Amino acid sequence: MSEQSVRTTRLPRIPAVPLAIGIGILIGGLLVLASGGDPVAAYRAILVGALAPSNWPNTLNWAVPLVGMTLVAALPLRGGMVNLGGDGQLVIGGLVAALAALYLPLPGPLLIAASILCAMIASGLYASLAAWGETRFGIPMLISTLLLSYPAIGIASYLVGFPLRDMATGLAQTRMIPEAARLPVIAGPLNIGLILMIVVAIAVVFFDRRTVAGYELRMRGLNAKFAGYGGVRLAAQQIRVMFASGAIAGLVGAILVLGSLYRYQDGALLTPGYTWSGLMAALLAGGAPLGAIAAGLFFAGLQTGGFAMQRETEIPRVLTMVLQAVIILFLAIRHGVGRKSS
Amino acid sequence: MSLMSFITPSLVNSAVQSITPILLAALAGTLCGRVGVFNMAMEGQLLVGAFAAVVGSYATGSALGGVLFAIVFTVLFSLILAYGATVFKGDAVVICIGMNLLASGLTAYLLRQMFGVSGTFSDPAIVGLTKIRIDAINTIPWIGWIFSRQTAITWLAWILTAAVTIMMFRTPVGLRLRGVGEDASAAGTMGIDVTRYRVLTVLFAGGLTGLGGAQLSLGTVSIFSEDMSAGRGWIAVVAVMLGRNHPLWAALACVLFGVADALSVRLQSQGLPNQLTDIVPYVVTLLALALSHRKRLKRRAAETLTAHA
């Protein structure tokens, strides 16, 4: 069912996306107005907060995990599969990266590489568990990915709350990772996580456009049965794609832990809501990697702008979440109108 | 420790309470599934219901007002799915994902703007649902404890489960409803207005989930917390899958979840950390899914074999 349904979400016809964004801005503005705020001031604050040159580093810094989680969602979506378990995969990646950085006896750059690799493998395996469950037992991945997040989050929370807790602080978090394991800083809040993410983004686009496996995945997205008859081994493909998707989530977790938090902190990876924003960005582009990356950047701008709006106008920044949801809903519904006429 | 001391009446009582929102959401999900609209927006619908219930109760000063608010606003919220997935032929999965996020964002936004708080809103002016005491059974050990201290919504949820089952399988409306889901074009040829059936069913289901939301925020605690549906809507989606769109089987799946939930509460009181006990219901749900689908796969394999023989 998920295959069929998501296949039809190849959303954008060119005017649809700007129109949806316009509708989102309009509805958001009305909401602000209804709750006694000034929509013009709110949107100006968002724009300045996101796009003023002095704020670019912040926007980029927010974009790294968000675009990462966009790719996590976009990759399976390209093949008509939905990964709703980004939260669990992100947490596993972050925790494993922190533990590897704390306990592996390796020198500087090797330690970083090993931590990232461990995180990616752990998250990748966890994500492919859901794929295996579908191919082996027929448990729909749409729901199993989501349900698998809960044990991952719970166990991670337990581990840093009890056995691995940093006793020096009162919080549920691990000790600080050693200096050697921290990602080198480029400038301001930006670290080489940005470069890693650009490399991954390029790799995903290249995979999608230039490789046989990428072609097979797109074919599956268009018609899974046809792809199967054409010789694509669907079960193996599903497990591989979910491994890759999870591995990217693991990378995002590792970048956040090694690059800015410097420890695994209970809840810190999930509160910003990267997973769901990323999923919406991926849906916005119907899983096409380049479009998804653009949508991810757009949402990142919207969210960093949201912080500025909250500071300056006291309008809560969750407004940006409402905007994202309205844009997606409008596109999903409007797409149907287009489809009916064609 | 004996079983009787492990499962106390008050534990069963709270399990029955915790099942209620999930049961109502699962009932909504089976109805939608029967008319061929895949509903996985229950998580968001419960949240909207819970928020509207608190607003209504706070504004009108009565729990009934809260319940009515919950129903009305969740039905309004469900218009998105009702029309989006039918008249506008949008993709139900995408619409539902959007609705869940909209519910989460909108309730958090309104919570800050209307009450000036973030996180949790509690106020003495929020009137909770009263627990019905039935004097006739109140003094009976066990039974009195379990059945006598429940809200009207809990009672209603089980009555509605029976009513929906009867409606679905024993009435002409139910027959048409199932027909719409099984073969829409055939149902259309029979003169049934397919879209109308779908829209009305999704809206009715929205009302049911809204009722579940009211139980969530007014049933035991009389507060609203951000994202307080906390995965219950997703559990309901699983219950619908486990029950294969049959209300009674879905209800049974909800009971299974309630047992798992009670078990987690109990394990917590035994000193296990809540981070671990909280995951028990989800693990049980996953296992149940794995077991039920394994059987189904085997049967399908057997059918394919005989078909080819």
Side-chain angles (χ1 to χ4, degrees):
Chain A
M1 169 218 51
S2 64
E3 280 154 6
Q4 255 230 324
S5 43
V6 176
R7 180 167 52 77
T8 58
T9 60
R10 218 145 276 291
L11 299 171
R13 268 149 221 262
I14 293 102
V17 172
L19 187 65
I21 293 172
I23 297 276
I25 289 173
L26 185 72
I27 292 181
L30 289 175
L31 190 62
V32 170
L33 206 60
S35 54
D38 177 359
V40 178
Y43 286 132
R44 188 186 298 132
I46 290 183
L47 267 179
V48 172
L51 296 180
S54 61
N55 294 329
W56 283 355
N58 281 328
T59 305
L60 266 181
N61 194 39
W62 193 268
V64 169
L66 209 164
V67 169
M69 295 314 286
T70 304
L71 294 170
V72 168
L75 200 58
L77 204 60
R78 196 60 159 159
M81 297 170 276
V82 183
N83 176 6
L84 294 180
D87 272 351
Q89 294 147 23
L90 184 63
V91 158
I92 289 180
L95 182 64
V96 169
L99 295 184
L102 281 172
Y103 296 108
L104 285 183
L106 290 169
L110 262 179
L111 185 58
I112 294 179
S115 301
I116 291 177
L117 210 61
C118 289
M120 291 178 74
I121 292 172
S123 295
L125 287 176
Y126 200 66
S128 48
L129 188 64
W132 179 74
E134 181 165 304
T135 54
R136 178 75 178 75
F137 297 109
I139 310 169
M141 215 170 63
L142 183 66
I143 195 78
S144 65
T145 46
L146 186 100
L147 288 179
L148 278 168
S149 276
Y150 290 94
I153 295 166
I155 289 171
S157 177
Y158 163 76
L159 286 176
V160 298
F162 297 93
L164 300 172
R165 186 193 194 115
D166 177 11
M167 287 308 169
T169 67
L171 300 168
Q173 54 190 13
T174 62
R175 283 185 290 125
M176 294 280 265
I177 57 169
E179 297 272 352
R182 299 181 188 177
L183 296 182
V185 173
I186 299 173
L190 294 173
N191 54 58
I192 59 158
L194 173 68
I195 291 162
L196 288 175
M197 200 45 74
I198 291 172
V199 170
V200 169
I202 292 171
V204 171
V205 174
F206 179 81
F207 166 82
D208 185 65
R209 299 206 162 170
R210 288 275 178 274
T211 65
V212 175
Y215 171 72
E216 286 177 348
L217 184 62
R218 272 184 289 146
M219 196 156 75
R220 180 199 187 114
L222 292 169
N223 190 333
K225 264 191 187 155
F226 176 75
Y229 289 134
V232 178
R233 289 172 58 220
L234 294 175
Q237 182 191 43
Q238 183 168 358
I239 290 173
R240 279 200 309 268
V241 167
M242 282 306 285
F243 181 86
S245 170
I248 299 174
L251 174 67
V252 173
I255 288 176
L256 287 170
V257 164
L258 305 177
S260 47
L261 297 167
Y262 300 138
R263 60 177 11 142
Y264 181 87
Q265 204 173 29
D266 192 24
L269 298 182
L270 301 184
T271 346
Y274 298 124
T275 302
W276 293 98
S277 287
L279 179 67
M280 283 197 279
L283 286 173
L284 191 67
L290 266 185
I293 293 166
L297 287 170
F298 171 65
F299 282 171
L302 198 60
Q303 288 176 7
T304 21
F307 282 105
M309 175 186 72
Q310 181 161 313
R311 264 198 316 274
E312 279 163 34
T313 65
E314 294 185 354
I315 294 164
R317 66 180 192 87
V318 287
L319 178 72
T320 59
M321 193 168 157
V322 176
L323 290 180
Q324 293 170 51
V326 170
I327 293 170
I328 283 301
L329 282 172
F330 179 78
L331 267 180
I333 290 168
R334 137 102 215 216
H335 167 70
V337 177
R339 203 175 56 189
K340 199 167 60 175
S341 64
S342 65
Chain B
M1 186 180 13
S2 76
L3 191 69
M4 287 300 271
S5 67
F6 192 74
I7 305 165
T8 60
S10 70
L11 189 68
V12 180
N13 182 284
S14 70
V16 174
Q17 278 177 36
S18 73
I19 290 171
T20 303
I22 300 161
L23 177 64
L24 285 163
L27 206 53
T30 56
L31 276 166
C32 295
R34 281 286 171 177
V35 292
V37 177
F38 180 57
N39 183 354
M40 52 172 228
M42 283 97 89
E43 179 79 0
Q45 289 171 316
L46 280 176
L47 199 58
V48 168
F51 182 74
V54 161
V55 172
S57 175
Y58 182 81
T60 63
S62 88
L64 184 66
V67 173
L68 290 178
F69 261 64
I71 293 174
V72 169
F73 281 96
T74 315
V75 169
L76 287 176
F77 182 62
S78 308
L79 282 169
I80 303 173
L81 180 63
Y83 281 95
T86 59
V87 176
F88 296 104
K89 296 199 165 59
D91 182 274
V93 172
V94 181
I95 292 175
C96 289
I97 290 173
M99 282 172 73
N100 287 331
L101 289 158
L102 181 63
S104 173
L106 199 58
T107 50
Y109 179 81
L110 292 175
L111 187 67
R112 285 169 174 79
Q113 294 296 67
M114 289 169 73
F115 303 110
V117 293
S118 60
T120 299
F121 175 57
S122 64
D123 192 291
I126 305 170
V127 184
L129 294 159
T130 43
K131 305 262 165 75
I132 300 175
R133 276 177 64 107
I134 303 171
D135 285 330
I137 60 168
N138 204 24
T139 49
I140 309 172
W142 271 84
I143 307 240
W145 254 103
I146 296 161
F147 292 103
S148 176
R149 293 170 181 84
Q150 300 290 355
T151 63
I153 293 183
T154 295
W155 282 97
L156 199 58
W158 290 98
I159 294 167
L160 280 166
T161 306
V164 166
T165 310
I166 293 168
M167 189 273 288
M168 202 180 267
F169 298 104
R170 291 278 179 273
T171 68
V173 176
L175 182 67
R176 285 183 211 128
L177 206 128
R178 284 180 290 139
V180 166
E182 261 166 42
D183 192 335
S185 62
T189 329
M190 299 289 287
I192 298 168
D193 187 342
V194 172
T195 305
R196 208 173 105 96
Y197 260 82
R198 286 189 168 149
V199 168
L200 289 177
T201 305
V202 173
L203 293 182
F204 177 74
L208 288 178
T209 321
L211 203 57
Q215 164 77 14
L216 204 57
S217 60
L218 299 179
T220 34
V221 283
S222 300
I223 57 161
F224 178 83
S225 308
E226 281 175 37
D227 291 320
M228 78 185 294
S229 43
R232 288 180 181 84
W234 295 109
I235 297 280
V237 172
V238 178
V240 175
M241 284 181 177
L242 283 173
R244 280 176 248 171
N245 290 332
H246 193 299
L248 289 185
W249 288 112
L252 192 68
C254 293
V255 170
L256 173 74
F257 171 79
V259 171
D261 196 43
L263 186 70
S264 91
V265 173
R266 191 64 199 171
L267 287 172
Q268 202 179 321
S269 68
Q270 298 288 311
L272 271 164
N274 69 310
Q275 290 94 332
L276 288 184
T277 56
D278 282 352
I279 68 177
V280 171
Y282 299 100
V283 174
V284 168
T285 316
L286 270 166
L287 289 177
L289 261 178
L291 288 174
S292 86
H293 281 271
R294 210 166 89 132
K295 252 187 264 155
R296 222 174 292 176
L297 272 191
K298 270 188 193 153
R299 194 179 314 137
R300 203 178 300 155
E303 277 164 10
T304 333
L305 279 179
T306 46
H308 283 282

